[in-house]
Amino acid sequence: MATTEECRAALDKLSDNMRSAGGEVRSAAELDRSVSCHITDLDVTFAGRMADGRIDVRETLEGPPREKAEIRLAMAGDDLVALVGGELNFAKAWGSGRVKLEAGLRDLFRLRKLL
């Protein structure tokens, strides 16, 4: 089972990957939205903001998100680490329910370029 520190490192790596991306991926990463990522097996939530092509995690909270972020992710810690490491396909994980993504319809269309 991934630790809180490993999950935070995975989010930092995802943020770095987004910042260094080009083309359509870079334009999709340019959203300015509140973000939460709930790690279900650890019952911890990383909350912050996606802006300027990166994710800025501002808080690590015990339990589920306290506020409804504009972009919400939920998954097990091992799945987050595997997704960022390229070992787990996002579409398959989302389709099987291992990863949950909630956002407005327009944001979902833009985010699909990232995922």
Side-chain angles (χ1 to χ4, degrees):
M1 180 165 75
T3 66
T4 300
E5 293 78 19
E6 289 170 324
C7 292
R8 175 61 194 257
L11 286 172
D12 289 342
K13 182 178 178 184
L14 175 61
S15 182
D16 291 343
N17 292 347
M18 288 170 49
R19 177 162 269 194
S20 65
E24 287 185 354
V25 172
R26 177 65 181 183
S27 70
E30 291 294 326
L31 290 170
D32 184 3
R33 302 285 188 272
S34 59
V35 177
S36 69
C37 181
H38 183 230
I39 307 301
T40 55
D41 56 336
L42 298 173
D43 198 24
V44 67
T45 298
F46 298 98
R49 188 138 202 102
M50 177 190 288
D52 299 322
R54 63 178 293 113
I55 299 169
D56 178 23
V57 176
R58 298 178 180 171
E59 294 182 286
T60 303
L61 310 165
E62 295 286 329
R66 291 181 178 56
E67 297 179 15
K68 186 176 178 181
E70 293 165 296
I71 299 172
R72 299 167 302 283
L73 288 161
M75 69 193 80
D78 287 342
D79 289 340
L80 173 62
V81 171
L83 279 169
V84 174
E87 301 158 12
L88 179 62
N89 178 280
F90 180 84
K92 289 181 182 179
W94 188 31
S96 70
R98 286 175 66 180
V99 173
K100 293 183 172 101
L101 169 64
E102 297 177 34
L105 189 58
R106 269 193 265 171
D107 289 343
L108 286 173
F109 281 123
R110 287 189 70 184
L111 288 170
R112 69 185 167 93
K113 295 174 187 170
L114 283 174
L115 311 169

mmCIF file with all atom_site columns, all heavy atoms in Angstrom, residues 70-98:
data_model
loop_
_atom_site.group_PDB
_atom_site.id
_atom_site.type_symbol
_atom_site.label_atom_id
_atom_site.label_alt_id
_atom_site.label_comp_id
_atom_site.label_asym_id
_atom_site.label_entity_id
_atom_site.label_seq_id
_atom_site.pdbx_PDB_ins_code
_atom_site.Cartn_x
_atom_site.Cartn_y
_atom_site.Cartn_z
_atom_site.occupancy
_atom_site.B_iso_or_equiv
_atom_site.pdbx_formal_charge
_atom_site.auth_seq_id
_atom_site.auth_comp_id
_atom_site.auth_asym_id
_atom_site.auth_atom_id
_atom_site.pdbx_PDB_model_num
ATOM 1   N N   . GLU A 1 70 ? -13.694 21.891 -7.919  1.00 0.00 ? 70 GLU A N   1
ATOM 2   C CA  . GLU A 1 70 ? -14.214 21.883 -9.289  1.00 0.00 ? 70 GLU A CA  1
ATOM 3   C C   . GLU A 1 70 ? -13.789 20.619 -10.041 1.00 0.00 ? 70 GLU A C   1
ATOM 4   O O   . GLU A 1 70 ? -14.506 20.144 -10.911 1.00 0.00 ? 70 GLU A O   1
ATOM 5   C CB  . GLU A 1 70 ? -13.755 23.141 -10.021 1.00 0.00 ? 70 GLU A CB  1
ATOM 6   C CG  . GLU A 1 70 ? -14.374 24.390 -9.435  1.00 0.00 ? 70 GLU A CG  1
ATOM 7   C CD  . GLU A 1 70 ? -13.687 25.653 -9.877  1.00 0.00 ? 70 GLU A CD  1
ATOM 8   O OE1 . GLU A 1 70 ? -12.488 25.836 -9.542  1.00 0.00 ? 70 GLU A OE1 1
ATOM 9   O OE2 . GLU A 1 70 ? -14.350 26.468 -10.551 1.00 0.00 ? 70 GLU A OE2 1
ATOM 10  N N   . ILE A 1 71 ? -12.621 20.080 -9.696  1.00 0.00 ? 71 ILE A N   1
ATOM 11  C CA  . ILE A 1 71 ? -12.140 18.813 -10.260 1.00 0.00 ? 71 ILE A CA  1
ATOM 12  C C   . ILE A 1 71 ? -11.844 17.899 -9.080  1.00 0.00 ? 71 ILE A C   1
ATOM 13  O O   . ILE A 1 71 ? -11.039 18.245 -8.209  1.00 0.00 ? 71 ILE A O   1
ATOM 14  C CB  . ILE A 1 71 ? -10.888 19.012 -11.131 1.00 0.00 ? 71 ILE A CB  1
ATOM 15  C CG1 . ILE A 1 71 ? -11.203 19.932 -12.306 1.00 0.00 ? 71 ILE A CG1 1
ATOM 16  C CG2 . ILE A 1 71 ? -10.345 17.659 -11.604 1.00 0.00 ? 71 ILE A CG2 1
ATOM 17  C CD1 . ILE A 1 71 ? -9.988  20.352 -13.106 1.00 0.00 ? 71 ILE A CD1 1
ATOM 18  N N   . ARG A 1 72 ? -12.513 16.738 -9.061  1.00 0.00 ? 72 ARG A N   1
ATOM 19  C CA  . ARG A 1 72 ? -12.403 15.821 -7.934  1.00 0.00 ? 72 ARG A CA  1
ATOM 20  C C   . ARG A 1 72 ? -11.969 14.440 -8.407  1.00 0.00 ? 72 ARG A C   1
ATOM 21  O O   . ARG A 1 72 ? -12.585 13.857 -9.285  1.00 0.00 ? 72 ARG A O   1
ATOM 22  C CB  . ARG A 1 72 ? -13.751 15.710 -7.216  1.00 0.00 ? 72 ARG A CB  1
ATOM 23  C CG  . ARG A 1 72 ? -14.208 17.055 -6.660  1.00 0.00 ? 72 ARG A CG  1
ATOM 24  C CD  . ARG A 1 72 ? -15.648 17.057 -6.218  1.00 0.00 ? 72 ARG A CD  1
ATOM 25  N NE  . ARG A 1 72 ? -16.652 16.707 -7.214  1.00 0.00 ? 72 ARG A NE  1
ATOM 26  C CZ  . ARG A 1 72 ? -17.083 17.524 -8.175  1.00 0.00 ? 72 ARG A CZ  1
ATOM 27  N NH1 . ARG A 1 72 ? -16.578 18.728 -8.325  1.00 0.00 ? 72 ARG A NH1 1
ATOM 28  N NH2 . ARG A 1 72 ? -18.027 17.132 -9.011  1.00 0.00 ? 72 ARG A NH2 1
ATOM 29  N N   . LEU A 1 73 ? -10.911 13.938 -7.800  1.00 0.00 ? 73 LEU A N   1
ATOM 30  C CA  . LEU A 1 73 ? -10.414 12.592 -8.072  1.00 0.00 ? 73 LEU A CA  1
ATOM 31  C C   . LEU A 1 73 ? -10.511 11.773 -6.801  1.00 0.00 ? 73 LEU A C   1
ATOM 32  O O   . LEU A 1 73 ? -10.350 12.306 -5.700  1.00 0.00 ? 73 LEU A O   1
ATOM 33  C CB  . LEU A 1 73 ? -8.948  12.628 -8.504  1.00 0.00 ? 73 LEU A CB  1
ATOM 34  C CG  . LEU A 1 73 ? -8.644  13.179 -9.884  1.00 0.00 ? 73 LEU A CG  1
ATOM 35  C CD1 . LEU A 1 73 ? -7.192  13.584 -9.976  1.00 0.00 ? 73 LEU A CD1 1
ATOM 36  C CD2 . LEU A 1 73 ? -8.968  12.134 -10.932 1.00 0.00 ? 73 LEU A CD2 1
ATOM 37  N N   . ALA A 1 74 ? -10.750 10.476 -6.950  1.00 0.00 ? 74 ALA A N   1
ATOM 38  C CA  . ALA A 1 74 ? -10.734 9.548  -5.822  1.00 0.00 ? 74 ALA A CA  1
ATOM 39  C C   . ALA A 1 74 ? -10.201 8.214  -6.319  1.00 0.00 ? 74 ALA A C   1
ATOM 40  O O   . ALA A 1 74 ? -10.617 7.733  -7.382  1.00 0.00 ? 74 ALA A O   1
ATOM 41  C CB  . ALA A 1 74 ? -12.131 9.381  -5.227  1.00 0.00 ? 74 ALA A CB  1
ATOM 42  N N   . MET A 1 75 ? -9.256  7.642  -5.560  1.00 0.00 ? 75 MET A N   1
ATOM 43  C CA  . MET A 1 75 ? -8.647  6.359  -5.934  1.00 0.00 ? 75 MET A CA  1
ATOM 44  C C   . MET A 1 75 ? -7.790  5.855  -4.791  1.00 0.00 ? 75 MET A C   1
ATOM 45  O O   . MET A 1 75 ? -7.511  6.599  -3.849  1.00 0.00 ? 75 MET A O   1
ATOM 46  C CB  . MET A 1 75 ? -7.789  6.530  -7.196  1.00 0.00 ? 75 MET A CB  1
ATOM 47  C CG  . MET A 1 75 ? -6.540  7.357  -6.974  1.00 0.00 ? 75 MET A CG  1
ATOM 48  S SD  . MET A 1 75 ? -5.724  7.861  -8.490  1.00 0.00 ? 75 MET A SD  1
ATOM 49  C CE  . MET A 1 75 ? -6.744  9.243  -8.962  1.00 0.00 ? 75 MET A CE  1
ATOM 50  N N   . ALA A 1 76 ? -7.356  4.622  -4.897  1.00 0.00 ? 76 ALA A N   1
ATOM 51  C CA  . ALA A 1 76 ? -6.408  4.062  -3.935  1.00 0.00 ? 76 ALA A CA  1
ATOM 52  C C   . ALA A 1 76 ? -5.022  4.645  -4.202  1.00 0.00 ? 76 ALA A C   1
ATOM 53  O O   . ALA A 1 76 ? -4.696  5.028  -5.334  1.00 0.00 ? 76 ALA A O   1
ATOM 54  C CB  . ALA A 1 76 ? -6.375  2.542  -4.049  1.00 0.00 ? 76 ALA A CB  1
ATOM 55  N N   . GLY A 1 77 ? -4.202  4.682  -3.173  1.00 0.00 ? 77 GLY A N   1
ATOM 56  C CA  . GLY A 1 77 ? -2.850  5.232  -3.314  1.00 0.00 ? 77 GLY A CA  1
ATOM 57  C C   . GLY A 1 77 ? -2.010  4.490  -4.332  1.00 0.00 ? 77 GLY A C   1
ATOM 58  O O   . GLY A 1 77 ? -1.292  5.105  -5.127  1.00 0.00 ? 77 GLY A O   1
ATOM 59  N N   . ASP A 1 78 ? -2.081  3.162  -4.336  1.00 0.00 ? 78 ASP A N   1
ATOM 60  C CA  . ASP A 1 78 ? -1.318  2.375  -5.314  1.00 0.00 ? 78 ASP A CA  1
ATOM 61  C C   . ASP A 1 78 ? -1.729  2.711  -6.739  1.00 0.00 ? 78 ASP A C   1
ATOM 62  O O   . ASP A 1 78 ? -0.898  2.725  -7.646  1.00 0.00 ? 78 ASP A O   1
ATOM 63  C CB  . ASP A 1 78 ? -1.488  0.877  -5.061  1.00 0.00 ? 78 ASP A CB  1
ATOM 64  C CG  . ASP A 1 78 ? -0.743  0.404  -3.825  1.00 0.00 ? 78 ASP A CG  1
ATOM 65  O OD1 . ASP A 1 78 ? 0.169   1.117  -3.350  1.00 0.00 ? 78 ASP A OD1 1
ATOM 66  O OD2 . ASP A 1 78 ? -1.074  -0.693 -3.326  1.00 0.00 ? 78 ASP A OD2 1
ATOM 67  N N   . ASP A 1 79 ? -3.015  2.988  -6.948  1.00 0.00 ? 79 ASP A N   1
ATOM 68  C CA  . ASP A 1 79 ? -3.484  3.342  -8.290  1.00 0.00 ? 79 ASP A CA  1
ATOM 69  C C   . ASP A 1 79 ? -2.946  4.702  -8.725  1.00 0.00 ? 79 ASP A C   1
ATOM 70  O O   . ASP A 1 79 ? -2.571  4.886  -9.883  1.00 0.00 ? 79 ASP A O   1
ATOM 71  C CB  . ASP A 1 79 ? -5.013  3.312  -8.355  1.00 0.00 ? 79 ASP A CB  1
ATOM 72  C CG  . ASP A 1 79 ? -5.564  1.897  -8.301  1.00 0.00 ? 79 ASP A CG  1
ATOM 73  O OD1 . ASP A 1 79 ? -4.812  0.946  -8.600  1.00 0.00 ? 79 ASP A OD1 1
ATOM 74  O OD2 . ASP A 1 79 ? -6.754  1.742  -7.967  1.00 0.00 ? 79 ASP A OD2 1
ATOM 75  N N   . LEU A 1 80 ? -2.891  5.665  -7.806  1.00 0.00 ? 80 LEU A N   1
ATOM 76  C CA  . LEU A 1 80 ? -2.316  6.975  -8.140  1.00 0.00 ? 80 LEU A CA  1
ATOM 77  C C   . LEU A 1 80 ? -0.859  6.825  -8.547  1.00 0.00 ? 80 LEU A C   1
ATOM 78  O O   . LEU A 1 80 ? -0.437  7.346  -9.586  1.00 0.00 ? 80 LEU A O   1
ATOM 79  C CB  . LEU A 1 80 ? -2.442  7.939  -6.951  1.00 0.00 ? 80 LEU A CB  1
ATOM 80  C CG  . LEU A 1 80 ? -1.736  9.280  -7.120  1.00 0.00 ? 80 LEU A CG  1
ATOM 81  C CD1 . LEU A 1 80 ? -2.318  10.075 -8.280  1.00 0.00 ? 80 LEU A CD1 1
ATOM 82  C CD2 . LEU A 1 80 ? -1.800  10.089 -5.825  1.00 0.00 ? 80 LEU A CD2 1
ATOM 83  N N   . VAL A 1 81 ? -0.099  6.094  -7.759  1.00 0.00 ? 81 VAL A N   1
ATOM 84  C CA  . VAL A 1 81 ? 1.318   5.888  -8.065  1.00 0.00 ? 81 VAL A CA  1
ATOM 85  C C   . VAL A 1 81 ? 1.476   5.172  -9.412  1.00 0.00 ? 81 VAL A C   1
ATOM 86  O O   . VAL A 1 81 ? 2.324   5.551  -10.232 1.00 0.00 ? 81 VAL A O   1
ATOM 87  C CB  . VAL A 1 81 ? 2.011   5.111  -6.919  1.00 0.00 ? 81 VAL A CB  1
ATOM 88  C CG1 . VAL A 1 81 ? 3.421   4.699  -7.295  1.00 0.00 ? 81 VAL A CG1 1
ATOM 89  C CG2 . VAL A 1 81 ? 2.013   5.961  -5.643  1.00 0.00 ? 81 VAL A CG2 1
ATOM 90  N N   . ALA A 1 82 ? 0.654   4.163  -9.672  1.00 0.00 ? 82 ALA A N   1
ATOM 91  C CA  . ALA A 1 82 ? 0.730   3.418  -10.940 1.00 0.00 ? 82 ALA A CA  1
ATOM 92  C C   . ALA A 1 82 ? 0.313   4.283  -12.130 1.00 0.00 ? 82 ALA A C   1
ATOM 93  O O   . ALA A 1 82 ? 0.923   4.207  -13.201 1.00 0.00 ? 82 ALA A O   1
ATOM 94  C CB  . ALA A 1 82 ? -0.143  2.171  -10.865 1.00 0.00 ? 82 ALA A CB  1
ATOM 95  N N   . LEU A 1 83 ? -0.710  5.118  -11.965 1.00 0.00 ? 83 LEU A N   1
ATOM 96  C CA  . LEU A 1 83 ? -1.138  6.011  -13.047 1.00 0.00 ? 83 LEU A CA  1
ATOM 97  C C   . LEU A 1 83 ? -0.022  6.972  -13.439 1.00 0.00 ? 83 LEU A C   1
ATOM 98  O O   . LEU A 1 83 ? 0.313   7.114  -14.614 1.00 0.00 ? 83 LEU A O   1
ATOM 99  C CB  . LEU A 1 83 ? -2.366  6.826  -12.629 1.00 0.00 ? 83 LEU A CB  1
ATOM 100 C CG  . LEU A 1 83 ? -3.709  6.150  -12.713 1.00 0.00 ? 83 LEU A CG  1
ATOM 101 C CD1 . LEU A 1 83 ? -4.770  6.994  -12.008 1.00 0.00 ? 83 LEU A CD1 1
ATOM 102 C CD2 . LEU A 1 83 ? -4.104  5.915  -14.157 1.00 0.00 ? 83 LEU A CD2 1
ATOM 103 N N   . VAL A 1 84 ? 0.548   7.621  -12.450 1.00 0.00 ? 84 VAL A N   1
ATOM 104 C CA  . VAL A 1 84 ? 1.604   8.599  -12.719 1.00 0.00 ? 84 VAL A CA  1
ATOM 105 C C   . VAL A 1 84 ? 2.852   7.920  -13.262 1.00 0.00 ? 84 VAL A C   1
ATOM 106 O O   . VAL A 1 84 ? 3.536   8.465  -14.123 1.00 0.00 ? 84 VAL A O   1
ATOM 107 C CB  . VAL A 1 84 ? 1.912   9.435  -11.457 1.00 0.00 ? 84 VAL A CB  1
ATOM 108 C CG1 . VAL A 1 84 ? 3.102   10.350 -11.685 1.00 0.00 ? 84 VAL A CG1 1
ATOM 109 C CG2 . VAL A 1 84 ? 0.687   10.258 -11.055 1.00 0.00 ? 84 VAL A CG2 1
ATOM 110 N N   . GLY A 1 85 ? 3.114   6.696  -12.801 1.00 0.00 ? 85 GLY A N   1
ATOM 111 C CA  . GLY A 1 85 ? 4.274   5.945  -13.280 1.00 0.00 ? 85 GLY A CA  1
ATOM 112 C C   . GLY A 1 85 ? 4.082   5.297  -14.640 1.00 0.00 ? 85 GLY A C   1
ATOM 113 O O   . GLY A 1 85 ? 4.994   4.672  -15.168 1.00 0.00 ? 85 GLY A O   1
ATOM 114 N N   . GLY A 1 86 ? 2.880   5.438  -15.222 1.00 0.00 ? 86 GLY A N   1
ATOM 115 C CA  . GLY A 1 86 ? 2.620   4.869  -16.543 1.00 0.00 ? 86 GLY A CA  1
ATOM 116 C C   . GLY A 1 86 ? 2.298   3.391  -16.533 1.00 0.00 ? 86 GLY A C   1
ATOM 117 O O   . GLY A 1 86 ? 2.238   2.756  -17.588 1.00 0.00 ? 86 GLY A O   1
ATOM 118 N N   . GLU A 1 87 ? 2.072   2.815  -15.359 1.00 0.00 ? 87 GLU A N   1
ATOM 119 C CA  . GLU A 1 87 ? 1.788   1.393  -15.250 1.00 0.00 ? 87 GLU A CA  1
ATOM 120 C C   . GLU A 1 87 ? 0.306   1.063  -15.276 1.00 0.00 ? 87 GLU A C   1
ATOM 121 O O   . GLU A 1 87 ? -0.070  -0.100 -15.366 1.00 0.00 ? 87 GLU A O   1
ATOM 122 C CB  . GLU A 1 87 ? 2.402   0.847  -13.952 1.00 0.00 ? 87 GLU A CB  1
ATOM 123 C CG  . GLU A 1 87 ? 3.891   1.044  -13.876 1.00 0.00 ? 87 GLU A CG  1
ATOM 124 C CD  . GLU A 1 87 ? 4.398   1.006  -12.450 1.00 0.00 ? 87 GLU A CD  1
ATOM 125 O OE1 . GLU A 1 87 ? 3.664   0.606  -11.539 1.00 0.00 ? 87 GLU A OE1 1
ATOM 126 O OE2 . GLU A 1 87 ? 5.569   1.393  -12.253 1.00 0.00 ? 87 GLU A OE2 1
ATOM 127 N N   . LEU A 1 88 ? -0.552  2.080  -15.174 1.00 0.00 ? 88 LEU A N   1
ATOM 128 C CA  . LEU A 1 88 ? -1.998  1.891  -15.164 1.00 0.00 ? 88 LEU A CA  1
ATOM 129 C C   . LEU A 1 88 ? -2.620  2.863  -16.152 1.00 0.00 ? 88 LEU A C   1
ATOM 130 O O   . LEU A 1 88 ? -2.338  4.063  -16.111 1.00 0.00 ? 88 LEU A O   1
ATOM 131 C CB  . LEU A 1 88 ? -2.557  2.136  -13.748 1.00 0.00 ? 88 LEU A CB  1
ATOM 132 C CG  . LEU A 1 88 ? -4.066  2.005  -13.545 1.00 0.00 ? 88 LEU A CG  1
ATOM 133 C CD1 . LEU A 1 88 ? -4.541  0.577  -13.846 1.00 0.00 ? 88 LEU A CD1 1
ATOM 134 C CD2 . LEU A 1 88 ? -4.439  2.386  -12.111 1.00 0.00 ? 88 LEU A CD2 1
ATOM 135 N N   . ASN A 1 89 ? -3.438  2.351  -17.045 1.00 0.00 ? 89 ASN A N   1
ATOM 136 C CA  . ASN A 1 89 ? -4.116  3.162  -18.045 1.00 0.00 ? 89 ASN A CA  1
ATOM 137 C C   . ASN A 1 89 ? -5.309  3.867  -17.411 1.00 0.00 ? 89 ASN A C   1
ATOM 138 O O   . ASN A 1 89 ? -6.169  3.221  -16.812 1.00 0.00 ? 89 ASN A O   1
ATOM 139 C CB  . ASN A 1 89 ? -4.558  2.264  -19.203 1.00 0.00 ? 89 ASN A CB  1
ATOM 140 C CG  . ASN A 1 89 ? -5.322  3.029  -20.263 1.00 0.00 ? 89 ASN A CG  1
ATOM 141 O OD1 . ASN A 1 89 ? -6.504  3.296  -20.107 1.00 0.00 ? 89 ASN A OD1 1
ATOM 142 N ND2 . ASN A 1 89 ? -4.621  3.382  -21.316 1.00 0.00 ? 89 ASN A ND2 1
ATOM 143 N N   . PHE A 1 90 ? -5.355  5.208  -17.546 1.00 0.00 ? 90 PHE A N   1
ATOM 144 C CA  . PHE A 1 90 ? -6.414  5.974  -16.901 1.00 0.00 ? 90 PHE A CA  1
ATOM 145 C C   . PHE A 1 90 ? -7.795  5.566  -17.404 1.00 0.00 ? 90 PHE A C   1
ATOM 146 O O   . PHE A 1 90 ? -8.708  5.363  -16.600 1.00 0.00 ? 90 PHE A O   1
ATOM 147 C CB  . PHE A 1 90 ? -6.227  7.482  -17.098 1.00 0.00 ? 90 PHE A CB  1
ATOM 148 C CG  . PHE A 1 90 ? -7.311  8.271  -16.434 1.00 0.00 ? 90 PHE A CG  1
ATOM 149 C CD1 . PHE A 1 90 ? -7.231  8.577  -15.089 1.00 0.00 ? 90 PHE A CD1 1
ATOM 150 C CD2 . PHE A 1 90 ? -8.444  8.660  -17.138 1.00 0.00 ? 90 PHE A CD2 1
ATOM 151 C CE1 . PHE A 1 90 ? -8.251  9.268  -14.447 1.00 0.00 ? 90 PHE A CE1 1
ATOM 152 C CE2 . PHE A 1 90 ? -9.468  9.348  -16.514 1.00 0.00 ? 90 PHE A CE2 1
ATOM 153 C CZ  . PHE A 1 90 ? -9.373  9.653  -15.168 1.00 0.00 ? 90 PHE A CZ  1
ATOM 154 N N   . ALA A 1 91 ? -7.965  5.455  -18.700 1.00 0.00 ? 91 ALA A N   1
ATOM 155 C CA  . ALA A 1 91 ? -9.287  5.142  -19.261 1.00 0.00 ? 91 ALA A CA  1
ATOM 156 C C   . ALA A 1 91 ? -9.813  3.804  -18.731 1.00 0.00 ? 91 ALA A C   1
ATOM 157 O O   . ALA A 1 91 ? -10.986 3.693  -18.358 1.00 0.00 ? 91 ALA A O   1
ATOM 158 C CB  . ALA A 1 91 ? -9.235  5.136  -20.789 1.00 0.00 ? 91 ALA A CB  1
ATOM 159 N N   . LYS A 1 92 ? -8.953  2.811  -18.684 1.00 0.00 ? 92 LYS A N   1
ATOM 160 C CA  . LYS A 1 92 ? -9.374  1.502  -18.169 1.00 0.00 ? 92 LYS A CA  1
ATOM 161 C C   . LYS A 1 92 ? -9.683  1.577  -16.673 1.00 0.00 ? 92 LYS A C   1
ATOM 162 O O   . LYS A 1 92 ? -10.656 0.988  -16.208 1.00 0.00 ? 92 LYS A O   1
ATOM 163 C CB  . LYS A 1 92 ? -8.294  0.455  -18.432 1.00 0.00 ? 92 LYS A CB  1
ATOM 164 C CG  . LYS A 1 92 ? -8.178  0.078  -19.893 1.00 0.00 ? 92 LYS A CG  1
ATOM 165 C CD  . LYS A 1 92 ? -7.118  -0.973 -20.100 1.00 0.00 ? 92 LYS A CD  1
ATOM 166 C CE  . LYS A 1 92 ? -6.988  -1.293 -21.576 1.00 0.00 ? 92 LYS A CE  1
ATOM 167 N NZ  . LYS A 1 92 ? -5.946  -2.288 -21.840 1.00 0.00 ? 92 LYS A NZ  1
ATOM 168 N N   . ALA A 1 93 ? -8.862  2.291  -15.925 1.00 0.00 ? 93 ALA A N   1
ATOM 169 C CA  . ALA A 1 93 ? -9.083  2.415  -14.484 1.00 0.00 ? 93 ALA A CA  1
ATOM 170 C C   . ALA A 1 93 ? -10.367 3.186  -14.195 1.00 0.00 ? 93 ALA A C   1
ATOM 171 O O   . ALA A 1 93 ? -11.128 2.839  -13.290 1.00 0.00 ? 93 ALA A O   1
ATOM 172 C CB  . ALA A 1 93 ? -7.890  3.103  -13.825 1.00 0.00 ? 93 ALA A CB  1
ATOM 173 N N   . TRP A 1 94 ? -10.633 4.220  -14.989 1.00 0.00 ? 94 TRP A N   1
ATOM 174 C CA  . TRP A 1 94 ? -11.854 5.015  -14.824 1.00 0.00 ? 94 TRP A CA  1
ATOM 175 C C   . TRP A 1 94 ? -13.072 4.173  -15.207 1.00 0.00 ? 94 TRP A C   1
ATOM 176 O O   . TRP A 1 94 ? -14.067 4.131  -14.495 1.00 0.00 ? 94 TRP A O   1
ATOM 177 C CB  . TRP A 1 94 ? -11.769 6.276  -15.664 1.00 0.00 ? 94 TRP A CB  1
ATOM 178 C CG  . TRP A 1 94 ? -12.873 7.267  -15.453 1.00 0.00 ? 94 TRP A CG  1
ATOM 179 C CD1 . TRP A 1 94 ? -13.578 7.502  -14.309 1.00 0.00 ? 94 TRP A CD1 1
ATOM 180 C CD2 . TRP A 1 94 ? -13.395 8.177  -16.422 1.00 0.00 ? 94 TRP A CD2 1
ATOM 181 N NE1 . TRP A 1 94 ? -14.491 8.506  -14.508 1.00 0.00 ? 94 TRP A NE1 1
ATOM 182 C CE2 . TRP A 1 94 ? -14.405 8.937  -15.792 1.00 0.00 ? 94 TRP A CE2 1
ATOM 183 C CE3 . TRP A 1 94 ? -13.091 8.428  -17.751 1.00 0.00 ? 94 TRP A CE3 1
ATOM 184 C CZ2 . TRP A 1 94 ? -15.122 9.923  -16.452 1.00 0.00 ? 94 TRP A CZ2 1
ATOM 185 C CZ3 . TRP A 1 94 ? -13.800 9.425  -18.403 1.00 0.00 ? 94 TRP A CZ3 1
ATOM 186 C CH2 . TRP A 1 94 ? -14.801 10.155 -17.759 1.00 0.00 ? 94 TRP A CH2 1
ATOM 187 N N   . GLY A 1 95 ? -12.978 3.475  -16.321 1.00 0.00 ? 95 GLY A N   1
ATOM 188 C CA  . GLY A 1 95 ? -14.076 2.639  -16.796 1.00 0.00 ? 95 GLY A CA  1
ATOM 189 C C   . GLY A 1 95 ? -14.424 1.505  -15.837 1.00 0.00 ? 95 GLY A C   1
ATOM 190 O O   . GLY A 1 95 ? -15.583 1.111  -15.723 1.00 0.00 ? 95 GLY A O   1
ATOM 191 N N   . SER A 1 96 ? -13.435 0.996  -15.129 1.00 0.00 ? 96 SER A N   1
ATOM 192 C CA  . SER A 1 96 ? -13.673 -0.103 -14.195 1.00 0.00 ? 96 SER A CA  1
ATOM 193 C C   . SER A 1 96 ? -14.065 0.389  -12.801 1.00 0.00 ? 96 SER A C   1
ATOM 194 O O   . SER A 1 96 ? -14.373 -0.418 -11.927 1.00 0.00 ? 96 SER A O   1
ATOM 195 C CB  . SER A 1 96 ? -12.430 -0.989 -14.096 1.00 0.00 ? 96 SER A CB  1
ATOM 196 O OG  . SER A 1 96 ? -11.389 -0.296 -13.428 1.00 0.00 ? 96 SER A OG  1
ATOM 197 N N   . GLY A 1 97 ? -14.016 1.694  -12.586 1.00 0.00 ? 97 GLY A N   1
ATOM 198 C CA  . GLY A 1 97 ? -14.383 2.252  -11.284 1.00 0.00 ? 97 GLY A CA  1
ATOM 199 C C   . GLY A 1 97 ? -13.243 2.352  -10.288 1.00 0.00 ? 97 GLY A C   1
ATOM 200 O O   . GLY A 1 97 ? -13.441 2.776  -9.157  1.00 0.00 ? 97 GLY A O   1
ATOM 201 N N   . ARG A 1 98 ? -12.045 1.975  -10.695 1.00 0.00 ? 98 ARG A N   1
ATOM 202 C CA  . ARG A 1 98 ? -10.897 2.082  -9.785  1.00 0.00 ? 98 ARG A CA  1
ATOM 203 C C   . ARG A 1 98 ? -10.529 3.540  -9.529  1.00 0.00 ? 98 ARG A C   1
ATOM 204 O O   . ARG A 1 98 ? -10.003 3.868  -8.462  1.00 0.00 ? 98 ARG A O   1
ATOM 205 C CB  . ARG A 1 98 ? -9.684  1.360  -10.371 1.00 0.00 ? 98 ARG A CB  1
ATOM 206 C CG  . ARG A 1 98 ? -9.814  -0.143 -10.291 1.00 0.00 ? 98 ARG A CG  1
ATOM 207 C CD  . ARG A 1 98 ? -8.692  -0.859 -10.976 1.00 0.00 ? 98 ARG A CD  1
ATOM 208 N NE  . ARG A 1 98 ? -7.394  -0.666 -10.327 1.00 0.00 ? 98 ARG A NE  1
ATOM 209 C CZ  . ARG A 1 98 ? -6.283  -1.221 -10.773 1.00 0.00 ? 98 ARG A CZ  1
ATOM 210 N NH1 . ARG A 1 98 ? -6.292  -1.982 -11.852 1.00 0.00 ? 98 ARG A NH1 1
ATOM 211 N NH2 . ARG A 1 98 ? -5.141  -1.013 -10.141 1.00 0.00 ? 98 ARG A NH2 1
#
